[in-house]
């Protein structure tokens, strides 16, 4: 089983999900909130609408609305009407949201370092690059379905 991709990804994914959940437990929505904050940080130059954000992180739009309500209530983000379409709202990361995201990222990075301890730095970089490529391919495939 040591080179079965499904097995390996399941084990790694479980370990990282647990680390993210523990690190994000103070955020409403836990690890889901972490994913939302990560997506917002990556798109700060062009804030997504709620619907776009739901698609980016793979959440149902109703679940996304409740999660954004909670995150906005904590001051981690804000929502503003889209000037081109008043029915749509752009989601914008706040300074407090950035701060909380950095805290969680630091804790998740420590868990990643423990998980990847047997790899050289070069191997770690290569693994991250390859997984990012595969993730983008999977994301494109999911959006085409």
């Amino acid at each position: 089983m040591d080179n079965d991709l499904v097995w390996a990804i399941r084990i790694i994914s479980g370990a990282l999900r647990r680390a993210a959940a523990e690190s994000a437990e103070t955020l409403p929505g836990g690890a889901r909130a972490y994913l939302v904050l990560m997506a917002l940080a990556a798109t700060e130059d062009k804030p997504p609408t709620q619907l776009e954000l739901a698609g980016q992180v793979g959440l149902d739009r109703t679940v996304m609305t409740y999660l954004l309500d909670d995150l906005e209530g904590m001051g981690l983000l804000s929502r503003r009407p889209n000037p081109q379409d008043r029915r749509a709202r752009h989601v914008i990361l706040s300074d407090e949201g950035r701060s909380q995201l950095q805290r969680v990222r630091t804790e998740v990075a420590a868990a990643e370092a423990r998980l990847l301890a047997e790899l050289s730095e070069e191997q770690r970089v290569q693994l991250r690059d390859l997984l990012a490529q595969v993730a983008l391919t999977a994301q494109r495939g999911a959006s085409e379905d």
Side-chain angles (χ1 to χ4, degrees):
M1 268 202 296
D2 62 345
N3 71 349
D4 182 88
L5 188 59
V6 172
W7 175 82
I9 288 177
R10 181 174 170 89
I11 298 298
I12 294 165
S13 175
L16 289 175
R17 255 196 327 271
R18 284 188 300 280
E22 289 171 12
S23 300
E25 68 186 359
T26 60
L27 300 175
R32 287 180 173 172
Y34 171 64
L35 294 176
V36 167
L37 297 178
M38 285 287 294
L40 291 176
T43 58
E44 283 195 276
D45 57 323
K46 186 179 184 291
T49 64
Q50 287 184 202
L51 189 58
E52 291 168 339
L53 184 58
Q56 288 172 3
V57 298
L59 287 178
D60 174 81
R61 65 182 182 193
T62 303
V63 172
M64 177 61 75
T65 299
Y66 288 118
L67 179 57
L68 293 179
D69 288 345
D70 292 343
L71 293 171
E72 189 170 33
M74 285 188 68
L76 303 178
L77 56 84
S78 63
R79 292 179 278 189
R80 297 195 184 117
N82 178 344
Q84 287 77 35
D85 179 358
R86 291 294 208 185
R87 296 168 297 171
R89 300 175 66 144
H90 286 287
V91 185
I92 297 146
L93 189 62
S94 70
D95 289 341
E96 180 61 20
R98 251 182 243 92
S99 174
Q100 288 297 316
L101 175 59
Q102 187 55 48
R103 178 190 59 77
V104 174
R105 287 179 89 174
T106 299
E107 292 177 21
V108 170
E112 281 180 23
R114 288 189 300 275
L115 189 61
L116 303 177
E118 294 187 29
L119 301 179
S120 70
E121 185 56 35
E122 182 180 325
Q123 289 172 318
R124 291 176 191 199
V125 169
Q126 185 178 23
L127 177 64
R128 282 187 177 94
D129 289 346
L130 292 171
L131 287 174
Q133 272 184 298
V134 173
L136 289 172
T137 300
Q139 189 177 44
R140 280 193 302 273
S143 66
E144 292 170 3
D145 292 341

